[in-house]
């Protein structure tokens, strides 16, 4: 694969793994994320990587470059991301960089609580500042949707429920309504602005449920 060969030429024996990901909390809804793990990562490596991957920018999102021990040392801050990599990463080279990292439920619970509060605050703040233009509303809504999908998934994980119907099972388990959230998340085509705005406002109200539940 051309991208792997380019990275091998850049990092040589220091390259540990290359994988495709969707890290959820820090990713957008595209699944073209590229994660590169190497030994002794420096600022010069980051600059070189940016230049090396310029020709691949239409194929992949801006890559994440980690040193080989970064996620292990910071696992309590990236619990959901690590679990997502374990489940969904597509390995292009080397091994899965998180296969041997164990996540404690208390650390996962603490991260989820922090993420809920910070993400809701960010959505509210953005809505207060926007001019209610279509693109701004879309960017705010769709950027946060996948984050709350992942948050919902791992709240259920803490209740020992593995599911393929995340929002529905969350509604049933906690007796709450996520109707606008589901509409925005699953619709194939984005609606006209006059229909998007009330959906977005309803979605914001539904997010308040996440502050009230106990898990």
């Amino acid at each position: 694969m051309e991208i792997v060969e380019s990275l091998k030429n850049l990092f040589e024996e220091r390259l540990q793994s290359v994988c495709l990901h969707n890290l959820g909390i820090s990713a957008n809804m595209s699944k073209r994320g590229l994660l590169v793990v190497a030994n002794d990562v420096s600022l010069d490596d980051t600059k070189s990587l940016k230049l090396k991957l310029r020709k691949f920018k239409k194929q992949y999102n801006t890559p994440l470059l980690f040193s080989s021990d970064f996620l292990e040392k910071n696992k309590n801050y990236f619990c959901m991301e690590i679990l997502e990599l374990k489940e969904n990463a597509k390995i292009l080279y080397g091994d899965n960089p998180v296969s041997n990292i164990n996540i404690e439920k208390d650390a996962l619970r603490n991260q989820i609580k922090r993420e809920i509060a910070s993400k809701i605050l960010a959505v509210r703040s953005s809505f207060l500042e926007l001019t209610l233009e279509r693109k701004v509303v879309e960017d705010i809504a769709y950027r946060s949707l996948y984050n709350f999908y992942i948050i919902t998934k791992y709240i259920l994980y803490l209740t020992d429920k593995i599911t393929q119907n995340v929002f529905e099972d969350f509604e049933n388990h906690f007796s709450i309504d996520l109707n606008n959230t589901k509409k925005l998340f699953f619709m194939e085509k984005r609606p006209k602005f006059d229909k998007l705005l009330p959906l977005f406002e309803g979605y914001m109200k539904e997010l308040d449920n996440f502050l009230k539940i106990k898990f």
Side-chain angles (χ1 to χ4, degrees):
M1 182 176 288
E2 187 179 4
I3 184 67
V4 172
E5 292 305 313
S6 294
L7 292 168
K8 287 167 70 175
N9 290 335
L10 176 60
F11 291 102
E12 298 179 341
E13 70 279 357
R14 291 190 296 137
L15 185 64
Q16 299 294 306
S17 62
V18 181
C19 58
L20 294 177
H21 70 82
N22 187 349
L23 285 182
I25 299 303
S26 59
N28 46 36
M29 294 182 71
S30 166
K31 294 188 178 180
R32 297 182 295 115
L34 189 69
L35 176 62
V36 180
V37 180
N39 289 333
D40 305 318
V41 172
S42 67
L43 179 59
D44 287 340
D45 289 325
T46 304
K47 293 178 180 178
S48 298
L49 181 63
K50 181 178 180 180
L51 293 173
K52 194 78 172 180
L53 297 185
R54 185 173 294 170
K55 68 176 181 178
F56 298 105
K57 65 181 181 180
K58 291 185 178 180
Q59 295 174 257
Y60 305 102
N61 294 332
T62 302
L64 296 174
L65 175 61
F66 290 157
S67 60
S68 55
D69 61 351
F70 178 83
L71 287 176
E72 174 65 44
K73 287 183 176 180
N74 296 280
K75 64 180 183 179
N76 288 345
Y77 304 108
F78 298 103
C79 301
M80 285 184 281
E81 292 85 346
I82 290 170
L83 290 170
E84 279 296 292
L85 283 172
K86 281 191 174 189
E87 181 179 351
N88 295 316
K90 180 180 179 181
I91 309 304
L92 304 181
Y93 175 82
D95 299 318
N96 190 318
V98 301
S99 58
N100 295 321
I101 300 179
N102 295 317
I103 297 298
E104 299 291 335
K105 281 195 171 183
D106 282 345
L108 174 59
R109 184 177 290 105
N110 288 335
Q111 187 201 5
I112 290 174
K113 289 180 178 179
R114 289 194 305 270
E115 292 293 343
I116 288 173
S118 64
K119 292 296 184 288
I120 288 178
L121 183 60
V123 172
R124 286 177 180 171
S125 298
S126 298
F127 186 75
L128 288 172
E129 294 175 1
L130 60 79
T131 57
L132 300 186
E133 294 178 358
R134 178 185 177 90
K135 185 179 186 308
V136 179
V137 175
E138 285 186 345
D139 286 349
I140 296 170
Y142 289 95
R143 188 169 62 242
S144 64
L145 272 170
Y146 193 80
N147 290 335
F148 277 97
Y149 174 83
I150 295 297
I151 287 170
T152 303
K153 174 181 176 180
Y154 285 107
I155 291 175
L156 291 173
Y157 174 90
L158 286 171
T159 68
D160 297 317
K161 188 173 186 63
I162 306 301
T163 176
Q164 298 297 319
N165 300 304
V166 172
F167 289 131
E168 290 85 353
D169 286 342
F170 190 86
E171 287 177 308
N172 292 332
H173 187 86
F174 292 102
S175 299
I176 62 175
D177 177 22
L178 296 177
N179 187 51
N180 292 285
T181 303
K182 290 187 296 184
K183 283 182 179 179
L184 282 169
F185 191 84
F186 291 111
M187 63 177 51
E188 295 183 2
K189 294 183 179 180
R190 297 184 180 185
K192 294 182 178 179
F193 185 73
D194 60 340
K195 293 184 178 180
L196 173 65
L197 190 56
L199 274 176
F200 180 58
E201 291 174 341
Y203 163 63
M204 288 178 60
K205 292 178 182 178
E206 290 170 4
L207 293 186
D208 286 339
N209 291 315
F210 287 83
L211 296 171
K212 300 172 185 176
I213 62 173
K214 295 181 179 181
F215 56 92

